[in-house]
């Protein structure tokens, strides 16, 4: 099958080829016309080559590889689904660029009821040439004026109107309402628009117009509007094809195949922008001298070559160039041309459609040619009709080759051999040209035989489709506003953080003086950080974090060796009786000693007990109150060292020498201080949160002595329990607090630490679901389950290396039916919650290091902070956000954060070692 087409002329059948420039002129006129017509003949092989080459460019662009030749662009449109039919509301639609020198404004009412349609009202405005070629501002002001003129005659409020902007030019979209013009096409060439966000330009123009408050919520390419406007009953159409002044198509591609989108599920509508297809190898052979002339004389030479062979803006011009060519060679119109015929753009699409329309007959052709100032003979009219048919047939065939490439792409991407698909068609070439669709359909069937294609003409040029997208965009914009409103209280300003810092300083000062304060500023009786002379074997316990650990710590000249074992503390033990808890602890110690071959040895033991204790000495600590989900009875108000010793006694035959009890912050500071003597602060951000630091003894009212230092356990988890944080507390914090086992307590901790962040997120997700913003408003049992949303999910979801798809996977495991928009919103919720936590933590650290700097009257303080805790260590951004906040709020402190490698067990052993060393010295 070598020649295709409706001319009904087979190759060689009395149709010699048309002479090229500079070649000797053939003798008779019909031959010369035939030769010209021959140039517009496209063979099956050529069409297949175009199909293959265009498919290649499409897949190259999808992979994000830009080829040498400006290939097709494959632009994501942020339209992720074909219409549900549930969209409803009144929308204004502004169409610019689809129909050349005119723009159209529509008022579209979507009822949201399948099959129930309200006829849109519309008005067309002709765009003056000087506006299409003038400054961009002028064009957008013109559009805004047309909008007002249209709305003036409608009984509508001038408030809260929502507009969908159909902008039919190649644009890089970064959202449904954000789109940057790449380059003008189709007779437009306004200045200062390429590279700009056209939505913003329209918003500015509407603002300048000032007549109506119109919210531009979506920008859509006309092919997308055409596809989305497809009647749900008929479709859904998954391809939108426009042939009007220009040409282009869009289709629903598998999101996972679009490299620029990190999506693995669902589909996304891609605007192909096939007008810029210009692969020399494929197009070269079918381009005629007339195509080159047309391109050369166009506004954008070298660009949109494929479009210039198909688009309605160019068909008339191609016909004109052929007629001028043949007239100047004396073949047509007796060798005469006319000023009109010689002037560019004088033959319009309408002329071609009329002249080619077999039903129009020669008389109509005659009339059109006379309007062009010609005096045609009957044979001229016939030849002119042939020229029109040749130009349009080729256009339809080329368009078919392109569409066949799209169908092949759909077969690839859906791994379907046989494809059944509905293609929505729009544009005046379809509406006005009698044969375009039939040639297109015929050629597609030959080029894509395994595809069953139905062509669905778009009812109103895509206006309804644009309104559908606008409805979706409006819904998403409303959701985004609700999300922003919900998360706004989590976005802390510098002033708010500085206020927290100041409040923390004040509470520290009061706590040190023993005045009422939410910061208890507990002396730890650790007066010095390690000096490296510590030596010996020590047992250490580490209770209060995620894991309970028993450790053997060997401190030698060569450094510190640690062997440890993790034991679980079942919730029933953590919330059982104190005796049960401490008996369980001793059981673990005994088990560890047996495993380490230490049974019967009474090694000095350091007890990291990560709860607020008032200490009267290194080995005395009264538990003030449990935190972090612990609630063992008969412990609060007790000396936990005694409780441990009693449990040891109850266990008989076990010898243990409990030398020191330390808070995990102190253990962490000591552990890091062993490597870095500048480490004078210990920070924990794990299940709970807290900080300790080396304070000047003179400032510690409850401990005698004015010289030297003492490590103070601030217990900042309780900061704000006096209400001083209420200005920051949100309804979600209140819910988490009320549902905790210690309501009203540890308010600062409940805004920061790992035990609570997941719960804060869960409550926000429940709230957003109840607003219909998330999960289509469907509350799931799972999401109503306490602690179902682990804080570790935040760390996973916020990790940069995790694509949105993995965010979905985590949430789907939670049984949450979600869309990619949902996943994005959940990510933003996690980011807001963890960012606030890190900033509050940073404000606290800034308060502490500034206190130390002022204590020492230093202009600048260099200090290290030893840190431990799962949240701090595992969250991808937490540590850097803390450091950034400290730099911001304590610029005169150079703070290094040291992540503790061995946990605070080592620190407890070092405190024990120091205690033993000091005890030995006093004994000597
Ligand atoms: C380390 C320390 C513990 C501390 C814990 C806090 O494991 O050794 O003493 O309590 O960190 O972090 P976590 O995330 O476990 O609560
Ligand atoms: C534009 C496309 C548009 C097509 C049909 C082309 O010139 O680049 O964005 O879809 O015309 O209007
Ligand atoms: C406790 C602190 C501990 C912190 C970190 C808080 O709940 O009150 O003593 O340091 O958690 O584990």
């Amino acid at each position: 099958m070598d020649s295709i087409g409706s001319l009904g002329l087979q190759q060689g059948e009395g149709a010699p080829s048309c002479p090229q420039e500079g070649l000797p002129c053939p003798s008779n006129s019909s031959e010369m016309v035939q030769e010209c017509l021959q140039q517009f003949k496209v063979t099956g092989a050529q069409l297949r080559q175009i199909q293959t080459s265009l498919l290649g460019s499409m897949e190259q662009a999808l992979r994000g590889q830009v080829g040498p030749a400006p290939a097709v662009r494959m632009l994501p449109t942020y339209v992720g689904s074909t219409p549900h039919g549930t969209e409803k509301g009144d929308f204004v639609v502004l169409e610019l660029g689809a129909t050349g020198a005119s723009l159209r404004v529509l008022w579209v009412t979507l009822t949201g009821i399948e099959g129930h349609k309200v006829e849109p009202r519309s008005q067309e405005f002709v765009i003056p040439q000087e506006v299409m070629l003038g400054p961009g501002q002028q064009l957008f002001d013109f559009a805004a004026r047309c909008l007002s003129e249209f709305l003036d005659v409608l009984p509508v409020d001038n408030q809260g109107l929502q507009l969908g902007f159909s902008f039919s030019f190649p644009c890089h979209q970064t959202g449904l309402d954000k789109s940057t013009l790449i380059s003008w096409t189709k007779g437009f060439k306004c200045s200062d628009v390429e590279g700009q966000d056209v939505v913003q330009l329209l918003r500015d123009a509407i603002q300048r117009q000032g007549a109506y408050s119109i919210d531009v919520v979506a920008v859509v390419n006309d092919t997308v509007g055409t596809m989305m406007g497809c009647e749900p009953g008929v479709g859904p159409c998954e391809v939108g094809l426009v042939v009007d002044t220009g040409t282009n198509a869009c289709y629903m591609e598998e999101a996972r195949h679009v490299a620029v989108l990190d999506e693995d599920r669902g589909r996304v509508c891609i605007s192909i922008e096939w007008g810029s297809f210009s692969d020399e190898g494929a197009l070269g052979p079918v381009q005629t001298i007339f195509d080159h002339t047309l391109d050369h004389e166009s506004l954008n030479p070298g660009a949109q070559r494929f479009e210039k062979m198909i688009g309605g803006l160019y068909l008339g011009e191609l016909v004109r160039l052929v007629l001028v060519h043949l007239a100047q060679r004396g073949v047509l119109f007796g060798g005469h041309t006319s000023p009109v015929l010689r002037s560019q753009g004088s033959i319009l699409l309408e002329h071609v459609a009329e002249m080619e329309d077999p039903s129009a007959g020669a008389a109509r052709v005659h009339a059109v040619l006379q309007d062009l100032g010609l005096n045609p003979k009957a044979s001229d009219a016939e030849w002119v009709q042939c020229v029109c048919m040749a130009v349009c047939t080729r256009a339809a065939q080329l368009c078919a080759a392109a569409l066949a490439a799209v169908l092949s792409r759909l077969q690839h991407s859906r791994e379907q051999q046989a494809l059944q698909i509905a293609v929505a068609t729009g544009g005046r070439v379809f509406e006005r040209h009698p044969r375009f669709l039939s040639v297109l359909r015929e050629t597609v069937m030959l080029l894509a035989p395994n595809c069953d294609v139905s062509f669905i003409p778009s009812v109103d040029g895509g206006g309804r489709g644009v309104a559908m997208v606008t409805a979706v965009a409006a819904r998403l914009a409303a959701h985004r506003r609700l999300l922003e409103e919900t998360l706004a209280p989590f976005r802390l300003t510098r002033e708010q953080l500085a206020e927290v810092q100041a409040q923390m300083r004040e509470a520290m000062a009061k706590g040190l003086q023993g005045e009422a304060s939410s910061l208890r500023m507990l002396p730890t009786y650790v007066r010095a950080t390690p000096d490296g002379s510590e030596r010996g074997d020590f047992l250490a316990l580490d209770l209060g974090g995620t894991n309970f650990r028993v450790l053997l710590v060997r401190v030698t000249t060569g450094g510190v060796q640690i062997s440890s074992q993790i034991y679980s503390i079942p919730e029933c033990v953590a919330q059982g009786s104190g005796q049960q808890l401490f008996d369980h602890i001793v059981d673990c110690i005994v088990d560890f000693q047996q495993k380490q071959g230490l049974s019967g040895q009474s090694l000095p033991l350091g007890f990291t007990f990560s709860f607020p204790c008032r200490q009267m000495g290194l080995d005395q600590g009264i538990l003030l109150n449990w935190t972090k989900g612990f609630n063992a009875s008969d412990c609060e108000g007790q000396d936990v060292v005694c409780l441990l010793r009693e449990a040891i006694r109850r266990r008989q035959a076990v010898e243990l020498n409990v030398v020191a009890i330390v808070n995990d912050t102190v253990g962490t500071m000591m552990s890091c201080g062993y490597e870095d003597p500048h480490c004078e602060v210990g920070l924990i951000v794990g299940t709970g949160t807290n900080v300790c630091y080396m304070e000047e003894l003179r400032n510690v009212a409850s401990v005698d002595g004015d010289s030297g230092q003492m490590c103070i356990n601030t217990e900042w988890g309780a900061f704000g329990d006096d209400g001083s944080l209420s200005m920051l507390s949100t309804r979600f914090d209140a819910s988490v607090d009320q549902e905790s086992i210690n309501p009203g307590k540890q308010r600062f901790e409940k805004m920061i630490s790992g035990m609570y962040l997941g719960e804060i997120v869960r409550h926000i997700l429940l709230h957003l679901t109840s607003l219909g913003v998330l999960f289509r408003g469907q509350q799931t049992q799972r999401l109503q389950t306490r602690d179902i949303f682990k804080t570790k999910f935040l760390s996973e979801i916020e990790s940069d290396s995790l694509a949105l798809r993995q965010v979905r996977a985590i949430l789907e495991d939670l049984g949450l039916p979600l869309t990619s928009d949902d996943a994005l919103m959940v990510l933003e919720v996690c980011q807001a919650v963890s960012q606030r936590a890190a900033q509050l933590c940073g404000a606290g650290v800034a308060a502490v290091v500034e206190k130390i700097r002022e204590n020492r009257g230093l202009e600048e303080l260099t200090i290290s902070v030893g840190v431990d805790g799962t949240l701090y260590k595992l969250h991808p951004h937490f540590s850097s956000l803390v450091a950034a906040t400290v730099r911001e709020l304590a610029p005169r402190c150079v703070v290094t954060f040291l992540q503790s490698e061995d946990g605070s067990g080592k620190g407890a052993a070092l405190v024990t070692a120091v205690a033993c060393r000091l005890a030995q010295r006093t004994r000597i």
Side-chain angles (χ1 to χ4, degrees), residues 553-574:
V553 181
R554 285 214 157 85
V555 187
T556 63
T557 47
V560 177
Q561 285 88 43
I562 296 175
S563 39
S564 70
Q565 170 124 9
I566 288 178
Y567 293 88
S568 72
I569 304 279
E571 190 167 277
C572 60
V573 173

Side-chain angles (χ1 to χ4, degrees), residues 544 610-612 627-628 663-665 684 688-690 715 746 749:
S610 312
F611 302 93
T627 64
K628 292 177 291 187
N663 184 264
D664 54 354
T665 53
I684 296 284
T689 183
N690 189 14
E715 283 297 335
Q746 301 293 103
E749 177 164 87

Side-chain angles (χ1 to χ4, degrees), residues 17-26 32 35 329:
S17 61
C18 196
Q20 300 300 329
E21 294 303 332
L23 295 175
C25 258
M32 280 188 76
E35 268 159 36
R329 278 161 188 69

Side-chain angles (χ1 to χ4, degrees), residues 141 144-146 148-149 203-212:
D141 285 344
R145 270 200 309 282
C146 298
S148 308
E149 205 177 303
R203 285 180 177 144
D204 299 347
I206 290 169
Q207 190 105 31
R208 282 192 297 275
Q209 176 72 13
Y212 290 88

Side-chain angles (χ1 to χ4, degrees), residues 520 522 543-545 609-613 625-628 663-666 684-691 713 715-718 746 749 753 756:
R520 287 173 275 196
L522 304 164
L543 178 73
F609 183 75
S610 312
F611 302 93
C613 290
N625 60 277
W626 285 116
T627 64
K628 292 177 291 187
N663 184 264
D664 54 354
T665 53
V666 180
I684 296 284
V685 190
T687 317
T689 183
N690 189 14
V691 77
N713 166 10
E715 283 297 335
W716 77 3
Q746 301 293 103
E749 177 164 87
S753 75
Y756 306 100

Side-chain angles (χ1 to χ4, degrees), residues 97-98 168-170 185-186 221-223 242 246-248 273 304 307:
S168 312
F169 300 92
T185 63
K186 295 172 294 190
N221 183 266
D222 56 346
T223 55
V242 166
T247 181
N248 183 21
E273 286 297 339
Q304 300 297 100
E307 172 164 86

